[in-house]
Amino acid sequence: MIWLNWRQFRLQALVAAVVLALIAVYLLHLGGDIRDAHDAYRSGCGNPGDCAQAKSQFQSTYQNTLLFLAAGLGLLPVVIGAFWGAPLIARELETGTHRLVWNQSVTRRRWLLGRMAFVGLAAMLLTGLASLLLTWAASPYDQVAGDRFGTVEFGARNIAPLGYAVLAFTLGTVIGLLVRRTLPAMAITGVVFLVLQFAVPNLVRPHLMPPEKTTLPMTAETINQARNLGSITGAPVIGGLEVPGAPDAWISEISPMRTADGRTLSETAFNACLNTPPETGAGGTFGDAAVCLAKLNLHVDIRYQPSDRYWAFQLSETALYVALSGILIAFGLRRIRRA
């Protein structure tokens, strides 16, 4: 079985090894550059003003590159599921070559488990090493940016990609077993896993652990520290805040601006401050608008996850994907008896 699996998988293994080698060369080079830039950033922190400028320059230099790489690593499980998982059994059933094995002493279940274990371990090895390299390369940037819980970044660091790879491969294999046609199985696998990659971070991840809650007064200083104010609908919303004392926390929900009695600020009052605030000559990102809103005695309610829960979330989400993979494997073992 091992020899047969290797013979059937050797071309994919060779391609994966070449791709991994290219990834390693690039990320090792990038990691060295980031560390040199990080040292330069640290040396430029003589005073708070210079430090803020050096930090902004450091982040802007590598932000888009690392975001692109994280998105690319996020697509790797999709490729594994569609090109390794989906054809694994579907091609055998489509061409009829499975009968040659089933007429030997190998049982159907053992054949399925052997095929999945061999290629599945290769998928985990490829994804795990790529994730390790990207995590190492981006480590200085992540320490400065404090955005480890970012939707794209979280799934491309540490152990979470292993869970994604296992589920994508298992999902592709089972879909191939059900569809029995290679190309449709590949297409369905890609679509389904992309939907999962969108749904889990946005709909499941925020509820893996109960969030902490706090209330943040909307002072002019706090408003000026935000990244955005208002929306295209005119709602009294603010985004990009930080939890006092927990700058690396993952904020999962920010309420609209509320008055002292807990009511949502009216859009009329909000837009009046945003569009035509009294002129005070105030500085800052939002200037006079921030001063105008601060005089209304507003606050927002925040739900957040402390940064020290990062590894708990990594383990929980990985365990979720592994559990789903186990369910799919059990289903596949039952289904193979009727294939």
Side-chain angles (χ1 to χ4, degrees):
M1 279 291 292
I2 295 177
W3 178 86
L4 179 61
N5 285 328
W6 166 247
R7 184 176 178 82
Q8 292 179 315
F9 185 67
R10 59 187 176 183
L11 178 60
Q12 294 95 316
L14 177 60
V15 172
V18 172
V19 170
L20 182 61
L22 293 174
I23 291 174
V25 170
Y26 176 74
L27 288 179
L28 288 172
H29 174 72
L30 178 65
D33 281 350
I34 292 177
R35 279 158 175 77
D36 290 341
H38 184 258
D39 291 340
Y41 149 67
R42 293 290 297 273
S43 64
C45 285
N47 59 68
D50 293 340
C51 190
Q53 183 178 359
K55 177 180 178 180
S56 177
Q57 183 177 357
F58 173 69
Q59 288 185 247
S60 63
T61 301
Y62 296 102
Q63 183 177 26
N64 290 336
T65 299
L66 290 174
L67 187 62
F68 176 79
L69 290 172
L73 183 58
L75 289 176
L76 183 58
V78 180
V79 174
I80 288 173
F83 289 90
W84 287 10
L88 188 69
I89 305 301
R91 183 179 291 120
E92 301 271 9
L93 298 176
E94 189 174 18
T95 59
T97 54
H98 63 289
R99 297 188 185 94
L100 178 63
V101 179
W102 290 359
N103 287 331
Q104 308 300 319
S105 59
V106 178
T107 65
R108 296 186 181 192
R109 288 186 172 183
R110 182 185 170 191
W111 173 73
L112 178 62
L113 283 175
R115 297 282 283 149
M116 292 185 70
F118 190 88
V119 183
L121 287 174
M124 291 178 63
L125 182 63
L126 172 63
T127 308
L129 289 175
S131 171
L132 180 65
L133 287 165
L134 180 56
T135 301
W136 173 82
S139 178
Y141 175 88
D142 290 342
Q143 292 174 9
V144 174
D147 194 27
R148 295 190 303 168
F149 279 105
T151 301
V152 178
E153 292 85 353
F154 183 89
R157 304 286 198 273
N158 297 302
I159 64 171
L162 291 175
Y164 301 167
V166 171
L167 180 58
F169 171 73
T170 306
L171 179 67
T173 303
V174 172
I175 288 176
L177 177 61
L178 294 173
V179 176
R180 304 171 69 94
R181 294 291 183 270
T182 302
L183 290 180
M186 292 171 66
I188 294 172
T189 299
V191 171
V192 171
F193 196 75
L194 284 173
V195 171
L196 282 173
Q197 283 188 313
F198 172 81
V200 171
N202 293 284
L203 303 178
V204 178
R205 187 182 300 161
H207 305 289
L208 290 176
M209 295 183 190
E212 300 289 337
K213 302 176 184 179
T214 189
T215 297
L216 187 61
M218 289 290 94
T219 64
E221 181 182 2
T222 300
I223 294 172
N224 280 321
Q225 290 174 350
R227 285 197 292 266
N228 56 278
L229 185 64
S231 69
I232 58 175
T233 64
V237 296
I238 188 170
L241 296 172
E242 290 186 356
V243 178
D248 295 338
W250 170 31
I251 297 179
S252 56
E253 182 181 340
I254 302 177
S255 73
M257 290 185 175
R258 291 172 175 162
T259 58
D261 59 2
R263 296 181 180 181
T264 300
L265 179 67
S266 69
E267 292 185 9
T268 301
F270 176 73
N271 288 319
C273 281
L274 190 63
N275 300 322
T276 57
E279 294 185 7
T280 63
T285 305
F286 301 106
D288 293 334
V291 174
C292 179
L293 290 169
K295 291 180 179 179
L296 300 179
N297 193 22
L298 303 172
H299 68 273
V300 294
D301 296 321
I302 294 177
R303 295 174 181 265
Y304 70 98
Q305 299 288 349
S307 59
D308 58 9
R309 293 182 181 179
Y310 173 80
W311 274 105
F313 271 90
Q314 280 272 324
L315 292 169
S316 297
E317 190 162 322
T318 303
L320 173 64
Y321 278 111
V322 171
L324 291 174
S325 300
I327 293 172
L328 287 172
I329 292 172
F331 174 80
L333 291 175
R334 287 179 58 87
R335 181 71 182 183
I336 195 69
R337 298 172 61 184
R338 294 183 288 169

